[in-house]
Amino acid sequence: IFYSSAFLQSVFSRYNDVVAFYIKHHPVIGILSFLGLAALSVMLGPFTSIPLVPPAITAWGVGDTFLFLFVGWLLGDTLAFVVGRFVGYPLVAKIMGKVSLDESLATLQKRLSFLLLFLFRLATPSETGYVFGILKYSFKKYLLITAIVELPFATLAVYASDALLEAGWQQFIAYILIWVVIILLAIYEFRKRFK
């Protein structure tokens, strides 16, 4: 629909030009805003930073956009973990009772291998940082899992957006399909292993 509509393409082009112009002419605010919105998109489910990627590519190029997106997402993942650990855990402990929560977590943690948590993180939205914090999972391991998971998605987001800018519709669709296949395979493997 988007490809066949001159109107939608012109709206996208105007949006892209306006945002890219702002980013180029306000470099510090542009970078900080992009990082902040990328971080926020990880913490708030309905919000996404993907629409900001095409104008960022226009302003900074593929390499810098990837770097800023990846760093912004990791920042948001880190904040979600911290909120889960220092706000979520006490809240859940208050609801369930600390002893009951700790017993449940102790039982669950025996089953939580690095691979299983990697598949969980790959198969679920990025907001799962809250869950890792509540589980009191090792922050270093969480950050490693998250970086490994975010790397292909940031790459796909940037290259799909670049293909969209270049009207490479076949490439754009291919990148989106790769994204979907990765998530479906991760969901399948996670369900099979976790039962």
Side-chain angles (χ1 to χ4, degrees), residues 3 9 19 55 63 76 78 87 90 102 124 128 132 135-136 161 181 185:
Y3 180 68
Q9 288 182 30
V19 176
T78 299
V87 177
D102 288 342
T124 56
T128 52
F132 281 86
L135 290 172
K136 294 186 175 183
S161 296
V181 167
L185 287 174

Side-chain angles (χ1 to χ4, degrees), residues 69-178:
L69 184 64
F70 185 67
V71 168
W73 282 355
L74 286 182
L75 178 62
D77 290 316
T78 299
L79 292 172
F81 180 91
V82 169
V83 169
R85 176 66 183 90
F86 295 105
V87 177
Y89 176 82
L91 182 64
V92 174
K94 193 174 247 185
I95 294 168
M96 284 182 68
K98 186 174 181 336
V99 173
S100 177
L101 175 61
D102 288 342
E103 287 174 358
S104 297
L105 290 178
T107 303
L108 183 61
Q109 286 169 345
K110 294 174 187 171
R111 300 177 64 195
L112 300 179
S113 67
F114 185 87
L115 176 61
L116 185 68
L117 289 173
F118 169 76
L119 290 171
F120 171 71
R121 180 63 184 79
L122 188 61
T124 56
S126 53
E127 296 84 16
T128 52
Y130 299 113
V131 175
F132 281 86
I134 291 169
L135 290 172
K136 294 186 175 183
Y137 191 66
S138 160
F139 177 71
K140 289 179 184 178
K141 289 181 183 177
Y142 164 73
L143 199 57
L144 177 61
I145 287 170
T146 299
I148 294 169
V149 167
E150 296 290 23
L151 189 63
F153 290 127
T155 303
L156 287 169
V158 169
Y159 281 104
S161 296
D162 190 46
L164 183 65
L165 289 170
E166 301 296 324
W169 293 101
Q170 292 86 359
Q171 286 178 315
F172 175 75
I173 291 169
Y175 288 126
I176 299 302
L177 288 176
I178 290 169

